Amino acid sequence: MLRLAIQKSGRLSEDSLKLIRECGISFITSSLKLKTESTNFPLEILYLRDDDIPGYVADGVADIGIVGENVLVEEGKQALTVEKLGFSKCRLSLAVPKSDNYKSIHDLNGKNIATSYPNLLQAYLHEQGVQAHIHTISGSVEIAPSIGLAEAICDIVSSGSTLISNGLKEVERVFKSEAVLIANDSLDEEKRRVLDKLLFRIHAVQRAQKAKYIVLNAPHESLQEIKDLLPGIKSPTILPLAEEGWSSLHSVVNEDDFWEIIEKIKDAGAQGILVIPIEKMIV
């Protein structure tokens, strides 16, 4: 049985549970339970404070965990990282009151900065050659300037709406973060096998999220040109249509290139283009 630690509540928790379900792993959740066991996979889920997850995994209380990269680096546990997961993306940023005439990071020399991430902030300030007074607080960082505790804050930002509602503006990006899968470096052989199976499923889900399955009709005189634009996993699948002189092409397109490729194949003569989401993709 592999023990997975995830954040007990919040966006990261929701995204983590969504990924596990997309991997075909079933479990029952309850706000009253601090752990649950899968009914169809050798996995037990522990619901913990995100700040505690790196330490629990390092100490072997949990075998693996999903945590924000910012928390992992702040706790000095980067060596535990197994995989970047691509969701719950955010940034650690410096912010000051909107009314401040902020020009550069050096405006913060000698100032007070409130944060829940003193290590990441100190490393950034040192890199920038800035000396400031760091006040470590555990929550409600955005209120610090309005109550006179600090002239600036350093906190996690997603959309920026929380900063705006507290009369602040983002001025520097300190660290980019996303969810990462971490693991204890002393897993036994059996737990390593289960982790490999879980990673296999995660990779299949990740590939599917980055790709689109497309089906189109094309005249034979345009087949080669369109085929060259649609590499697919190996090459496009081509099937003859009932109407003579036409074929159907099936392919997989990377989402980043999707619209550019669609425009090109349409210009080349493709018709009836269907775009279908992919649930899993195994290569």
Side-chain angles (χ1 to χ4, degrees), residues 219-240:
H220 285 175
E221 61 267 21
S222 301
L223 273 180
Q224 188 58 51
E225 182 182 356
I226 293 173
K227 178 183 174 183
D228 291 342
L229 293 168
L230 295 172
I233 296 175
K234 288 188 178 296
S235 64
T237 299
I238 302 176
L239 301 171

Side-chain angles (χ1 to χ4, degrees), residues 2 11 58 66 69 86 97 113 125 134 157 172 184 215 219 225 228 241 247 252 254 269 281:
L2 197 66
R11 178 188 167 197
I66 297 177
E69 193 175 7
I113 306 175
L125 293 177
I134 297 175
V157 178
E172 303 286 345
N184 181 277
V215 180
E225 182 182 356
D228 291 342
L241 294 179
S247 289
V252 174
N254 187 295
M281 190 164 78

Side-chain angles (χ1 to χ4, degrees), residues 157-166:
V157 178
S158 293
S159 66
S161 59
T162 302
L163 292 181
I164 293 171
S165 65
N166 283 277

Side-chain angles (χ1 to χ4, degrees), residues 130-161:
V130 172
Q131 292 187 339
H133 306 292
I134 297 175
H135 293 267
T136 305
I137 57 179
S138 59
S140 302
V141 176
E142 295 88 355
I143 200 174
S146 65
I147 62 174
L149 178 63
E151 288 84 20
I153 69 163
C154 182
D155 201 20
I156 291 297
V157 178
S158 293
S159 66
S161 59

